[in-house]
Amino acid sequence: MDVARLAALIAATITTGLMAGLFFAFDVSVMPALRRSDDRTVIEVMQRVNVAIINGLFMTAFLGSLLLTALALILHLASGAGSVAPPLIAALVAYALQLGVTGRVNIPLNNALEQAGPVERIADPAAVRQAFASRWAAANRWRTLLCTVALGCLAWALVLSGRL
């Protein structure tokens, strides 16, 4: 049981760290680079990113983080290691909030960008960019913050679990 608990907690920490890093990379490199690009470039790049990112590795980390954190919490509670529960619950809540931001803001914006059609056929690329870029970037900053909070909570849970 100890091995399963620790393995779930480590895996949750790794997957959450991967997601925090991905969102952070967009915050500090991709979106600032695109801010300096023309409207059609922004639209084309983000349309391509939105297609490319839906893959097995991304989905494993994106959904696995929530599932593995929940599993770590269940295993810790079942074994009587309840002192680790508060940071695990906090991590689970922070990550779930990130999923909420993604589902309510980023995904609908991604879908609207895709529905705009091929970039070369968009009549008013400035309007499409304006409807997308600033709202998407702001929501992504929230995702970065929430994933980083979740990662910090999982790190704290690892510290506490080492004291058991």
Side-chain angles (χ1 to χ4, degrees):
M1 182 65 149
D2 289 343
V3 172
R5 265 192 349 230
L6 184 59
L9 182 52
I10 290 170
T13 305
I14 291 169
T15 54
T16 302
L18 289 170
M19 293 311 304
L22 173 71
F23 296 143
F24 180 72
F26 268 86
D27 284 341
V28 300
S29 63
V30 176
M31 298 315 286
L34 289 177
R35 267 194 298 273
R36 296 182 195 104
S37 302
D38 66 84
D39 298 332
R40 291 190 190 279
T41 299
V42 171
I43 295 165
E44 183 176 17
V45 167
M46 289 307 295
Q47 283 178 334
R48 289 182 183 197
V49 167
N50 292 336
V51 170
I53 202 162
I54 305 302
N55 62 64
L57 290 174
F58 170 78
M59 294 308 291
T60 297
F62 185 68
L63 298 175
S65 180
L66 181 74
L67 298 174
L68 290 163
T69 301
L71 177 62
L73 176 60
I74 290 166
L75 292 174
H76 278 84
L77 289 174
S79 71
S83 63
V84 181
L88 288 175
I89 292 168
L92 197 57
V93 168
Y95 198 82
L97 288 171
Q98 174 278 133
L99 289 174
V101 171
T102 299
R104 292 185 56 96
V105 182
N106 295 91
I107 290 174
L109 288 171
N110 291 345
N111 292 341
L113 195 64
E114 185 61 32
Q115 290 170 358
V119 70
E120 64 275 359
R121 293 187 187 157
I122 297 173
D124 189 357
V128 172
R129 177 187 186 162
Q130 184 177 8
F132 174 82
S134 63
R135 285 187 61 217
W136 194 96
N140 193 69
R141 281 189 293 280
W142 278 106
R143 297 191 302 175
T144 302
L145 175 65
L146 290 165
C147 281
T148 303
V149 167
L151 180 60
C153 291
L154 289 166
W156 185 244
L158 278 168
V159 169
L160 293 176
S161 70
R163 294 181 183 167
L164 297 176

